[in-house]
Amino acid sequence: MQTIVITLNPGKLTNLDLRYRISERIEEVTQGKIKDNGYDYLYTEGQRAPLLGLWLEAEAAADQYGEIVKLFQKKTFLENNLSVSAEIYIAEEETAELKVCRKVHHFL
């Protein structure tokens, strides 16, 4: 399995109770091709609050992360437009740390 990581900036969100809803919806939309693989709070320099990192697993992350992009462009989650908060990273490794992943999408 490969890794997809979604980072969310809490300063751009109105409701932070998203952790499970996002992963569940992604798994549903992708018919189980992308699955939940945990989360972590990511402390970065210059941020007032940590980012929320959602780890997902997929057989072909480079081919499948586009489904997440489409979902975030079309749907809101608890009144949050994730297309203004999310960044998507991938790695061929299983359960890769963010520092070894490469950014493949940044919503403007």
Side-chain angles (χ1 to χ4, degrees):
M1 294 301 255
Q2 297 180 354
T3 300
I4 299 173
V5 180
I6 301 167
T7 62
L8 299 170
N9 181 336
K12 296 182 179 179
L13 301 172
T14 58
N15 186 330
L16 300 177
D17 191 25
L18 297 168
R19 188 266 177 268
Y20 294 105
R21 291 179 189 239
I22 293 171
S23 299
E24 288 170 357
R25 185 68 178 133
I26 290 170
E27 190 167 341
E28 180 183 315
V29 166
T30 65
Q31 299 175 354
K33 293 178 186 171
I34 301 175
K35 296 182 180 183
D36 182 25
N37 199 21
Y39 74 99
D40 199 0
Y41 294 99
L42 306 167
Y43 295 88
T44 56
E45 193 173 319
Q47 291 287 93
R48 290 184 180 175
L51 300 175
L52 173 60
L54 303 176
W55 266 255
L56 304 160
E57 62 182 18
E59 287 191 28
D63 295 333
Q64 295 170 322
Y65 80 87
E67 293 296 319
I68 299 169
V69 173
K70 290 178 195 173
L71 177 64
F72 287 2
Q73 289 172 333
K74 293 178 183 177
K75 301 289 182 186
T76 59
F77 291 79
L78 298 175
E79 301 178 16
N80 289 289
N81 177 355
L82 299 184
S83 69
V84 299
S85 172
E87 291 185 346
I88 301 174
Y89 298 79
I90 62 171
E92 292 182 7
E93 301 170 28
E94 186 172 355
T95 316
E97 292 184 39
L98 185 62
K99 65 184 175 185
V100 300
C101 295
R102 76 180 158 92
K103 187 188 316 186
V104 292
H105 197 83
H106 174 81
F107 293 95
L108 299 175

